[in-house]
Amino acid sequence: LKNVSKSYRLANGIEKKALNCVSLNFPDTGLVFVVGKSGSGKSTLLNIIGGLDKEDSGEVIVDGKSLKHFKNEDYDYYRNEYIGFVHQEANLIPDYNVYENIMIALKLKGMKISYEDCDKLLDYLSLNGLGNRNINELSGGEKMRVSIARALVKNPKILICDEPISALDVSIRAQIINLLNDLKNEFNLSIIFI
């Protein structure tokens, strides 16, 4: 990020600056924690990196390419090819089983994954044997790991984690952090976490 700024206009007409000339370099692989008070712009920062929002000024550069002049279809490609999202809510489709929730990420790209490859990913995330399980039969930690699997199946370069553990109990939080720490090396990822 080079001098990235972003403002929003509040309902009362006052302009709120979420980011003010932020410049950061992220590693190609690694786990980076972005910390700050509520309302300090952390989610705005992640949304801009993830192509969900656009900066007012400054520049985002990924793999030597600037996103500055991206059109909507460029952002679609960028989000599909480069970015994996894991949100505070697992955002799983309740009518789909675990396999279907993971495979939907590739269907959107016009690709398929074999059940065998999906099982390898599930095994890696300690979800072995849960492929056919309904989402409402999973614990909160299992749902979050399914959400991580759905993000990883696309083989992204950047995994954006927007408060994925805030709703989990303390022991599960530690498990998810340890898992993400292992994933950065196993999947050659840059993980940005708030």
Side-chain angles (χ1 to χ4, degrees), residues 70-81:
F70 269 24
K71 296 176 174 68
N72 285 341
E73 59 270 13
D74 298 323
Y75 275 112
D76 290 343
Y77 175 83
Y78 170 69
R79 284 187 299 268
N80 274 328
E81 296 299 320

Side-chain angles (χ1 to χ4, degrees), residues 8 16-19 35-44 163 194:
Y8 296 99
K16 163 115 168 90
K17 193 166 275 284
L19 301 173
V35 295
K37 295 178 183 175
S38 179
S40 64
K42 300 181 304 292
S43 291
T44 299
E163 300 188 46
I194 63 170

Side-chain angles (χ1 to χ4, degrees), residues 12-174:
N12 61 6
I14 295 174
E15 187 174 279
K16 163 115 168 90
K17 193 166 275 284
L19 301 173
N20 188 15
C21 292
V22 175
S23 293
L24 295 168
N25 288 318
F26 292 97
D28 289 339
T29 60
L31 179 57
V32 175
F33 289 89
V34 178
V35 295
K37 295 178 183 175
S38 179
S40 64
K42 300 181 304 292
S43 291
T44 299
L45 178 76
L46 291 189
N47 287 339
I48 288 172
I49 293 168
L52 296 175
D53 205 351
K54 187 155 176 43
E55 68 280 358
D56 295 334
S57 63
E59 191 172 22
V60 177
I61 300 168
V62 178
D63 272 353
K65 232 183 208 178
S66 174
L67 279 58
K68 193 168 190 70
H69 303 292
F70 269 24
K71 296 176 174 68
N72 285 341
E73 59 270 13
D74 298 323
Y75 275 112
D76 290 343
Y77 175 83
Y78 170 69
R79 284 187 299 268
N80 274 328
E81 296 299 320
Y82 279 81
I83 305 295
F85 290 100
V86 181
H87 297 283
Q88 184 175 9
E89 299 294 324
N91 293 328
L92 300 173
I93 302 170
D95 295 338
Y96 284 17
N97 66 27
V98 170
Y99 282 133
E100 292 165 331
N101 267 280
I102 293 169
M103 293 176 177
I104 189 91
L106 290 180
K107 281 185 183 177
L108 295 172
K109 291 175 65 172
M111 299 172 64
K112 290 183 179 181
I113 183 174
S114 70
Y115 285 99
E116 183 179 325
D117 287 339
C118 197
D119 281 333
K120 287 178 189 172
L121 183 57
L122 290 174
D123 287 348
Y124 187 84
L125 295 171
S126 300
L127 294 167
N128 11 349
L130 298 182
N132 288 310
R133 182 80 53 95
N134 289 328
I135 295 304
N136 63 357
E137 298 173 335
L138 301 177
S139 70
E142 288 170 336
K143 287 177 184 176
M144 192 51 61
R145 289 198 304 274
V146 171
S147 180
I148 292 169
R150 183 182 55 203
L152 290 176
V153 78
K154 298 183 343 173
N155 197 26
K157 294 179 183 254
I158 303 167
L159 185 64
I160 292 179
C161 301
D162 192 353
E163 300 188 46
I165 61 172
S166 61
L168 302 175
D169 36 5
V170 176
S171 62
I172 302 298
R173 289 179 187 185

